[in-house]
Amino acid sequence: MPDLLTTLSHQIYLSAPLFILIFLGYCLTRFGKWPASISEGMNRFVFNVALPCMLFDVMSDFYKSPPVDFRLLLAFFGSCLLVFIAGRVIAAKVFRLESIAGSVFALGGIFSNNVMLGIPIATVLLGEQALPSVALVLVFNSLILWTLLTVSVEWSKHGSFSIQGLGRTLISVLKNPLIIGILSGTAWSFLQRPLPLIAAQPIDLLGSIAAPLSLVTLGMSLAHYRVRDGLKESYSICLLKLIVQPMCIWAIAWLTDLPALESKVVVLLGSMAVGVNVYLMSQKFQVLTGPAAASMLFSTLFAAVTTPVWMMLMTLAGY
């Protein structure tokens, strides 16, 4: 028991500063009355400049890193498919949601906040050697999960899905600044040479502020959401997202004999809070907006404990 408590307290101690930054951002908006325009501007800067620079910087040195095991994609996205199906069943049988609302509910159980939360926490808890694995998941994350949702929604509406819809999804993913940063950095790494100093220094400086700024911005964003509606649905989404998905990922990683670092990376990413894209999709279809907003806020709070617990369990299991 003392070893367990020591390990858990150490994991919480490491991740606590990150959640303090989120709380700072929340307080600036909630109590400091910072206008929404500041949050929107910071969000645009983080997503379009700082994080792409950070990911480009990491991936430009990819040739120096040991090869990434692609079984991590099977562990992460295999679990996404299983949990999404479970989410659709729960939405229909327990909450009697219609099919589109059920698709959004199920998406909440698998779509992690891997950009604003996953990258900083992976860096602190697992070190920079984890970032190539994180980047590999990010490359496929939007494409696979948006495709899964598109197929589910289109099938709900028409009983079929179109190639044109999947093509639009692919184009939107390739236009994402984060994906551009990852792919362009990977392309540079094929040259197997460092960046010129005149480019490396500004990219490194911008990348160094990406993690803390993204957390403050996340906290500012959370202060805008209402959390009074659909609490039962939001708690169920949190249960799927924070408990069922990382458990499923770990099981697949174990079954496929995925190496320790990659296993911890995918379990950590799977244990992240619900991503903002779930709320945006709920707004688009005008379904489940209250539970989607509440699940974002609650899962961020709960993840301050559940993510360190998952890392502690993996450490105790010898990962």
Side-chain angles (χ1 to χ4, degrees), residues 38-86:
I38 295 179
S39 174
E40 293 168 3
M42 289 176 64
N43 260 308
R44 291 184 64 182
F45 178 78
V46 167
F47 276 106
N48 294 322
V49 180
L51 281 171
C53 283
M54 178 185 180
L55 293 169
F56 178 91
D57 192 30
V58 169
M59 298 310 296
S60 65
D61 289 332
F62 189 63
Y63 67 94
K64 300 177 183 177
S65 305
V68 174
D69 196 316
F70 281 80
R71 283 175 292 178
L72 68 88
L73 297 179
L74 175 62
F76 189 85
F77 294 109
S79 79
C80 287
L81 177 60
L82 295 176
V83 176
F84 186 85
I85 293 171

Short mmCIF file of all heavy atoms in Angstrom, two decimals, residues 38-86:
data_model
loop_
_atom_site.label_atom_id
_atom_site.label_comp_id
_atom_site.label_asym_id
_atom_site.label_seq_id
_atom_site.Cartn_x
_atom_site.Cartn_y
_atom_site.Cartn_z
N ILE A 38 -10.56 37.31 -26.42
CA ILE A 38 -9.18 36.96 -26.04
C ILE A 38 -8.99 35.44 -26.13
O ILE A 38 -7.99 34.95 -26.67
CB ILE A 38 -8.85 37.47 -24.63
CG1 ILE A 38 -8.88 39.00 -24.61
CG2 ILE A 38 -7.49 36.94 -24.17
CD1 ILE A 38 -8.58 39.59 -23.25
N SER A 39 -9.95 34.70 -25.60
CA SER A 39 -9.88 33.24 -25.66
C SER A 39 -9.85 32.76 -27.10
O SER A 39 -9.07 31.87 -27.46
CB SER A 39 -11.08 32.63 -24.93
OG SER A 39 -11.12 31.23 -25.09
N GLU A 40 -10.69 33.35 -27.95
CA GLU A 40 -10.74 32.95 -29.36
C GLU A 40 -9.42 33.25 -30.06
O GLU A 40 -8.91 32.44 -30.84
CB GLU A 40 -11.89 33.67 -30.06
CG GLU A 40 -13.27 33.22 -29.58
CD GLU A 40 -14.37 34.13 -30.09
OE1 GLU A 40 -14.06 35.08 -30.85
OE2 GLU A 40 -15.54 33.91 -29.72
N GLY A 41 -8.85 34.43 -29.76
CA GLY A 41 -7.57 34.79 -30.37
C GLY A 41 -6.44 33.88 -29.93
O GLY A 41 -5.61 33.45 -30.75
N MET A 42 -6.41 33.55 -28.64
CA MET A 42 -5.37 32.65 -28.13
C MET A 42 -5.53 31.25 -28.69
O MET A 42 -4.55 30.57 -29.03
CB MET A 42 -5.40 32.62 -26.60
CG MET A 42 -4.92 33.91 -25.96
SD MET A 42 -5.06 33.91 -24.14
CE MET A 42 -3.91 32.60 -23.70
N ASN A 43 -6.79 30.81 -28.84
CA ASN A 43 -7.05 29.51 -29.44
C ASN A 43 -6.51 29.45 -30.86
O ASN A 43 -5.87 28.47 -31.25
CB ASN A 43 -8.56 29.22 -29.45
CG ASN A 43 -8.98 28.30 -28.33
OD1 ASN A 43 -8.41 27.23 -28.16
ND2 ASN A 43 -9.97 28.72 -27.56
N ARG A 44 -6.77 30.49 -31.63
CA ARG A 44 -6.30 30.51 -33.01
C ARG A 44 -4.78 30.49 -33.07
O ARG A 44 -4.19 29.80 -33.90
CB ARG A 44 -6.84 31.74 -33.74
CG ARG A 44 -8.34 31.71 -33.98
CD ARG A 44 -8.80 32.91 -34.77
NE ARG A 44 -8.22 32.94 -36.11
CZ ARG A 44 -8.44 33.90 -36.99
NH1 ARG A 44 -9.21 34.93 -36.66
NH2 ARG A 44 -7.88 33.87 -38.18
N PHE A 45 -4.13 31.25 -32.17
CA PHE A 45 -2.67 31.28 -32.17
C PHE A 45 -2.09 29.92 -31.78
O PHE A 45 -1.14 29.44 -32.42
CB PHE A 45 -2.18 32.35 -31.19
CG PHE A 45 -0.67 32.41 -31.09
CD1 PHE A 45 0.07 33.05 -32.06
CD2 PHE A 45 -0.01 31.82 -30.02
CE1 PHE A 45 1.45 33.10 -31.99
CE2 PHE A 45 1.37 31.86 -29.93
CZ PHE A 45 2.11 32.51 -30.92
N VAL A 46 -2.68 29.29 -30.76
CA VAL A 46 -2.17 27.98 -30.31
C VAL A 46 -2.31 26.95 -31.41
O VAL A 46 -1.36 26.21 -31.72
CB VAL A 46 -2.92 27.53 -29.03
CG1 VAL A 46 -2.64 26.06 -28.75
CG2 VAL A 46 -2.49 28.38 -27.85
N PHE A 47 -3.50 26.86 -32.02
CA PHE A 47 -3.75 25.82 -33.02
C PHE A 47 -3.04 26.09 -34.35
O PHE A 47 -2.61 25.15 -35.02
CB PHE A 47 -5.25 25.69 -33.26
CG PHE A 47 -5.93 24.79 -32.28
CD1 PHE A 47 -6.72 25.33 -31.28
CD2 PHE A 47 -5.77 23.42 -32.32
CE1 PHE A 47 -7.34 24.51 -30.35
CE2 PHE A 47 -6.39 22.59 -31.39
CZ PHE A 47 -7.20 23.14 -30.41
N ASN A 48 -2.94 27.36 -34.73
CA ASN A 48 -2.42 27.67 -36.05
C ASN A 48 -0.92 27.97 -36.08
O ASN A 48 -0.31 27.91 -37.15
CB ASN A 48 -3.17 28.88 -36.65
CG ASN A 48 -4.63 28.56 -36.93
OD1 ASN A 48 -4.95 27.46 -37.37
ND2 ASN A 48 -5.50 29.52 -36.67
N VAL A 49 -0.33 28.30 -34.92
CA VAL A 49 1.08 28.69 -34.91
C VAL A 49 1.90 27.87 -33.91
O VAL A 49 2.81 27.13 -34.28
CB VAL A 49 1.23 30.20 -34.60
CG1 VAL A 49 2.71 30.59 -34.59
CG2 VAL A 49 0.47 31.04 -35.61
N ALA A 50 1.58 28.01 -32.62
CA ALA A 50 2.46 27.46 -31.58
C ALA A 50 2.55 25.93 -31.63
O ALA A 50 3.65 25.36 -31.69
CB ALA A 50 1.99 27.92 -30.20
N LEU A 51 1.39 25.24 -31.61
CA LEU A 51 1.42 23.78 -31.63
C LEU A 51 1.97 23.21 -32.94
O LEU A 51 2.76 22.25 -32.91
CB LEU A 51 0.03 23.22 -31.33
CG LEU A 51 -0.37 23.21 -29.85
CD1 LEU A 51 -1.83 22.85 -29.68
CD2 LEU A 51 0.51 22.26 -29.04
N PRO A 52 1.61 23.76 -34.10
CA PRO A 52 2.24 23.26 -35.33
C PRO A 52 3.76 23.42 -35.32
O PRO A 52 4.48 22.53 -35.80
CB PRO A 52 1.60 24.11 -36.43
CG PRO A 52 0.26 24.47 -35.89
CD PRO A 52 0.48 24.66 -34.41
N CYS A 53 4.27 24.53 -34.74
CA CYS A 53 5.72 24.71 -34.64
C CYS A 53 6.33 23.65 -33.72
O CYS A 53 7.40 23.09 -34.03
CB CYS A 53 6.05 26.11 -34.12
SG CYS A 53 5.88 27.41 -35.35
N MET A 54 5.67 23.38 -32.60
CA MET A 54 6.17 22.37 -31.68
C MET A 54 6.23 21.00 -32.35
O MET A 54 7.23 20.27 -32.24
CB MET A 54 5.27 22.31 -30.45
CG MET A 54 5.66 21.24 -29.43
SD MET A 54 4.44 21.14 -28.08
CE MET A 54 5.17 19.85 -27.08
N LEU A 55 5.16 20.64 -33.06
CA LEU A 55 5.11 19.33 -33.71
C LEU A 55 6.08 19.24 -34.88
O LEU A 55 6.70 18.20 -35.11
CB LEU A 55 3.68 19.04 -34.18
CG LEU A 55 2.67 18.85 -33.03
CD1 LEU A 55 1.24 18.84 -33.56
CD2 LEU A 55 2.97 17.56 -32.28
N PHE A 56 6.25 20.35 -35.61
CA PHE A 56 7.24 20.37 -36.69
C PHE A 56 8.64 20.16 -36.12
O PHE A 56 9.45 19.38 -36.66
CB PHE A 56 7.18 21.70 -37.44
CG PHE A 56 8.21 21.82 -38.54
CD1 PHE A 56 7.91 21.42 -39.83
CD2 PHE A 56 9.48 22.32 -38.28
CE1 PHE A 56 8.85 21.51 -40.85
CE2 PHE A 56 10.43 22.41 -39.28
CZ PHE A 56 10.12 22.01 -40.57
N ASP A 57 8.92 20.83 -35.01
CA ASP A 57 10.24 20.73 -34.38
C ASP A 57 10.52 19.29 -33.94
O ASP A 57 11.61 18.76 -34.15
CB ASP A 57 10.28 21.68 -33.18
CG ASP A 57 11.70 21.86 -32.63
OD1 ASP A 57 12.66 21.77 -33.41
OD2 ASP A 57 11.84 22.09 -31.42
N VAL A 58 9.52 18.66 -33.33
CA VAL A 58 9.69 17.27 -32.88
C VAL A 58 9.90 16.34 -34.06
O VAL A 58 10.82 15.51 -34.08
CB VAL A 58 8.46 16.82 -32.06
CG1 VAL A 58 8.50 15.30 -31.82
CG2 VAL A 58 8.41 17.55 -30.73
N MET A 59 9.06 16.47 -35.08
CA MET A 59 9.11 15.53 -36.20
C MET A 59 10.28 15.78 -37.13
O MET A 59 10.71 14.87 -37.86
CB MET A 59 7.80 15.57 -36.98
CG MET A 59 6.58 15.17 -36.17
SD MET A 59 6.77 13.60 -35.26
CE MET A 59 6.94 12.46 -36.62
N SER A 60 10.85 16.99 -37.13
CA SER A 60 12.01 17.26 -37.98
C SER A 60 13.24 16.48 -37.51
O SER A 60 14.17 16.24 -38.28
CB SER A 60 12.32 18.76 -38.02
OG SER A 60 12.74 19.22 -36.73
N ASP A 61 13.23 16.06 -36.24
CA ASP A 61 14.31 15.23 -35.69
C ASP A 61 13.91 13.76 -35.61
O ASP A 61 14.55 12.98 -34.90
CB ASP A 61 14.70 15.73 -34.29
CG ASP A 61 15.44 17.06 -34.33
OD1 ASP A 61 16.09 17.33 -35.35
OD2 ASP A 61 15.34 17.81 -33.36
N PHE A 62 12.86 13.40 -36.31
CA PHE A 62 12.33 12.04 -36.21
C PHE A 62 13.36 10.99 -36.61
O PHE A 62 13.36 9.87 -36.10
CB PHE A 62 11.08 11.91 -37.09
CG PHE A 62 10.33 10.63 -36.90
CD1 PHE A 62 9.75 10.30 -35.69
CD2 PHE A 62 10.19 9.73 -37.96
CE1 PHE A 62 9.05 9.12 -35.52
CE2 PHE A 62 9.50 8.54 -37.79
CZ PHE A 62 8.93 8.24 -36.57
N TYR A 63 14.26 11.37 -37.53
CA TYR A 63 15.26 10.41 -38.00
C TYR A 63 16.23 10.00 -36.89
O TYR A 63 16.89 8.96 -36.99
CB TYR A 63 16.04 10.99 -39.19
CG TYR A 63 16.92 12.16 -38.87
CD1 TYR A 63 18.27 12.00 -38.57
CD2 TYR A 63 16.41 13.47 -38.86
CE1 TYR A 63 19.09 13.08 -38.27
CE2 TYR A 63 17.21 14.55 -38.56
CZ TYR A 63 18.56 14.35 -38.27
OH TYR A 63 19.37 15.43 -37.98
N LYS A 64 16.32 10.79 -35.83
CA LYS A 64 17.19 10.45 -34.71
C LYS A 64 16.53 9.49 -33.72
O LYS A 64 17.21 8.93 -32.85
CB LYS A 64 17.61 11.72 -33.95
CG LYS A 64 18.35 12.74 -34.79
CD LYS A 64 18.64 13.98 -33.95
CE LYS A 64 19.33 15.07 -34.76
NZ LYS A 64 19.54 16.30 -33.95
N SER A 65 15.21 9.34 -33.82
CA SER A 65 14.46 8.55 -32.84
C SER A 65 14.40 7.09 -33.25
O SER A 65 14.50 6.76 -34.44
CB SER A 65 13.02 9.09 -32.73
OG SER A 65 13.01 10.47 -32.44
N PRO A 66 14.23 6.19 -32.27
CA PRO A 66 13.99 4.79 -32.62
C PRO A 66 12.67 4.67 -33.35
O PRO A 66 11.77 5.50 -33.17
CB PRO A 66 13.96 4.08 -31.26
CG PRO A 66 13.65 5.16 -30.27
CD PRO A 66 14.25 6.42 -30.83
N PRO A 67 12.50 3.66 -34.20
CA PRO A 67 11.25 3.52 -34.97
C PRO A 67 10.04 3.36 -34.06
O PRO A 67 10.11 2.72 -33.00
CB PRO A 67 11.49 2.27 -35.81
CG PRO A 67 12.59 1.53 -35.12
CD PRO A 67 13.45 2.57 -34.48
N VAL A 68 8.93 3.96 -34.47
CA VAL A 68 7.68 3.88 -33.71
C VAL A 68 6.94 2.60 -34.11
O VAL A 68 6.85 2.27 -35.29
CB VAL A 68 6.80 5.12 -33.97
CG1 VAL A 68 5.45 4.96 -33.30
CG2 VAL A 68 7.49 6.37 -33.47
N ASP A 69 6.43 1.89 -33.13
CA ASP A 69 5.70 0.65 -33.38
C ASP A 69 4.27 0.98 -33.83
O ASP A 69 3.50 1.55 -33.07
CB ASP A 69 5.69 -0.21 -32.12
CG ASP A 69 5.29 -1.64 -32.40
OD1 ASP A 69 4.33 -1.85 -33.16
OD2 ASP A 69 5.95 -2.55 -31.85
N PHE A 70 3.91 0.56 -35.04
CA PHE A 70 2.61 0.92 -35.59
C PHE A 70 1.47 0.13 -34.95
O PHE A 70 0.30 0.42 -35.22
CB PHE A 70 2.60 0.73 -37.11
CG PHE A 70 3.27 1.86 -37.85
CD1 PHE A 70 4.65 1.93 -37.96
CD2 PHE A 70 2.52 2.88 -38.40
CE1 PHE A 70 5.27 2.97 -38.63
CE2 PHE A 70 3.12 3.94 -39.06
CZ PHE A 70 4.50 3.99 -39.18
N ARG A 71 1.80 -0.86 -34.11
CA ARG A 71 0.74 -1.54 -33.39
C ARG A 71 0.00 -0.61 -32.43
O ARG A 71 -1.12 -0.92 -31.99
CB ARG A 71 1.33 -2.72 -32.61
CG ARG A 71 1.65 -3.95 -33.46
CD ARG A 71 2.34 -5.03 -32.65
NE ARG A 71 3.68 -4.62 -32.24
CZ ARG A 71 4.49 -5.37 -31.49
NH1 ARG A 71 4.07 -6.55 -31.04
NH2 ARG A 71 5.70 -4.95 -31.16
N LEU A 72 0.62 0.53 -32.12
CA LEU A 72 -0.07 1.48 -31.25
C LEU A 72 -1.34 2.01 -31.91
O LEU A 72 -2.30 2.35 -31.23
CB LEU A 72 0.85 2.62 -30.82
CG LEU A 72 1.34 3.64 -31.83
CD1 LEU A 72 0.38 4.81 -31.96
CD2 LEU A 72 2.69 4.18 -31.40
N LEU A 73 -1.33 2.11 -33.25
CA LEU A 73 -2.54 2.54 -33.96
C LEU A 73 -3.66 1.52 -33.81
O LEU A 73 -4.83 1.88 -33.64
CB LEU A 73 -2.24 2.77 -35.45
CG LEU A 73 -1.23 3.88 -35.77
CD1 LEU A 73 -1.01 3.97 -37.27
CD2 LEU A 73 -1.71 5.23 -35.22
N LEU A 74 -3.29 0.24 -33.87
CA LEU A 74 -4.29 -0.81 -33.67
C LEU A 74 -4.87 -0.75 -32.27
O LEU A 74 -6.10 -0.86 -32.08
CB LEU A 74 -3.66 -2.18 -33.91
CG LEU A 74 -4.55 -3.41 -33.64
CD1 LEU A 74 -5.77 -3.39 -34.56
CD2 LEU A 74 -3.76 -4.70 -33.81
N ALA A 75 -4.01 -0.54 -31.27
CA ALA A 75 -4.49 -0.47 -29.89
C ALA A 75 -5.40 0.73 -29.68
O ALA A 75 -6.49 0.61 -29.09
CB ALA A 75 -3.30 -0.41 -28.92
N PHE A 76 -4.99 1.89 -30.20
CA PHE A 76 -5.76 3.11 -29.96
C PHE A 76 -7.07 3.11 -30.75
O PHE A 76 -8.16 3.28 -30.19
CB PHE A 76 -4.93 4.34 -30.32
CG PHE A 76 -5.58 5.64 -29.91
CD1 PHE A 76 -5.42 6.13 -28.62
CD2 PHE A 76 -6.36 6.37 -30.79
CE1 PHE A 76 -6.03 7.31 -28.22
CE2 PHE A 76 -6.97 7.55 -30.41
CZ PHE A 76 -6.80 8.03 -29.12
N PHE A 77 -6.98 2.90 -32.07
CA PHE A 77 -8.18 3.04 -32.90
C PHE A 77 -9.05 1.79 -32.87
O PHE A 77 -10.25 1.88 -33.11
CB PHE A 77 -7.77 3.42 -34.32
CG PHE A 77 -7.16 4.78 -34.40
CD1 PHE A 77 -5.81 4.94 -34.66
CD2 PHE A 77 -7.91 5.92 -34.17
CE1 PHE A 77 -5.23 6.20 -34.71
CE2 PHE A 77 -7.35 7.18 -34.21
CZ PHE A 77 -6.00 7.32 -34.48
N GLY A 78 -8.45 0.62 -32.55
CA GLY A 78 -9.28 -0.55 -32.32
C GLY A 78 -10.20 -0.35 -31.13
O GLY A 78 -11.39 -0.69 -31.16
N SER A 79 -9.65 0.26 -30.08
CA SER A 79 -10.47 0.56 -28.90
C SER A 79 -11.54 1.60 -29.24
O SER A 79 -12.66 1.53 -28.74
CB SER A 79 -9.61 1.05 -27.75
OG SER A 79 -9.25 2.41 -27.92
N CYS A 80 -11.18 2.56 -30.07
CA CYS A 80 -12.16 3.59 -30.46
C CYS A 80 -13.38 2.96 -31.12
O CYS A 80 -14.52 3.34 -30.84
CB CYS A 80 -11.52 4.60 -31.42
SG CYS A 80 -10.35 5.72 -30.63
N LEU A 81 -13.14 2.00 -32.01
CA LEU A 81 -14.26 1.34 -32.68
C LEU A 81 -15.13 0.58 -31.68
O LEU A 81 -16.36 0.69 -31.71
CB LEU A 81 -13.73 0.39 -33.76
CG LEU A 81 -14.79 -0.43 -34.52
CD1 LEU A 81 -15.76 0.49 -35.23
CD2 LEU A 81 -14.13 -1.40 -35.49
N LEU A 82 -14.50 -0.16 -30.79
CA LEU A 82 -15.26 -0.95 -29.81
C LEU A 82 -16.06 -0.06 -28.87
O LEU A 82 -17.24 -0.32 -28.59
CB LEU A 82 -14.30 -1.84 -29.01
CG LEU A 82 -13.57 -2.94 -29.80
CD1 LEU A 82 -12.58 -3.66 -28.88
CD2 LEU A 82 -14.55 -3.91 -30.42
N VAL A 83 -15.43 1.01 -28.37
CA VAL A 83 -16.12 1.90 -27.43
C VAL A 83 -17.21 2.70 -28.14
O VAL A 83 -18.27 2.98 -27.57
CB VAL A 83 -15.11 2.84 -26.73
CG1 VAL A 83 -15.83 3.83 -25.81
CG2 VAL A 83 -14.11 2.02 -25.92
N PHE A 84 -16.97 3.07 -29.40
CA PHE A 84 -18.00 3.79 -30.17
C PHE A 84 -19.24 2.92 -30.33
O PHE A 84 -20.38 3.40 -30.14
CB PHE A 84 -17.45 4.17 -31.55
CG PHE A 84 -18.39 5.04 -32.35
CD1 PHE A 84 -18.39 6.42 -32.18
CD2 PHE A 84 -19.26 4.48 -33.27
CE1 PHE A 84 -19.25 7.23 -32.93
CE2 PHE A 84 -20.12 5.28 -34.01
CZ PHE A 84 -20.11 6.65 -33.84
N ILE A 85 -19.06 1.65 -30.66
CA ILE A 85 -20.20 0.73 -30.78
C ILE A 85 -20.92 0.61 -29.45
O ILE A 85 -22.16 0.66 -29.38
CB ILE A 85 -19.72 -0.64 -31.28
CG1 ILE A 85 -19.20 -0.52 -32.73
CG2 ILE A 85 -20.85 -1.67 -31.21
CD1 ILE A 85 -18.52 -1.77 -33.24
N ALA A 86 -20.15 0.46 -28.36
CA ALA A 86 -20.76 0.37 -27.03
C ALA A 86 -21.53 1.65 -26.71
O ALA A 86 -22.63 1.60 -26.14
CB ALA A 86 -19.68 0.12 -25.98
#
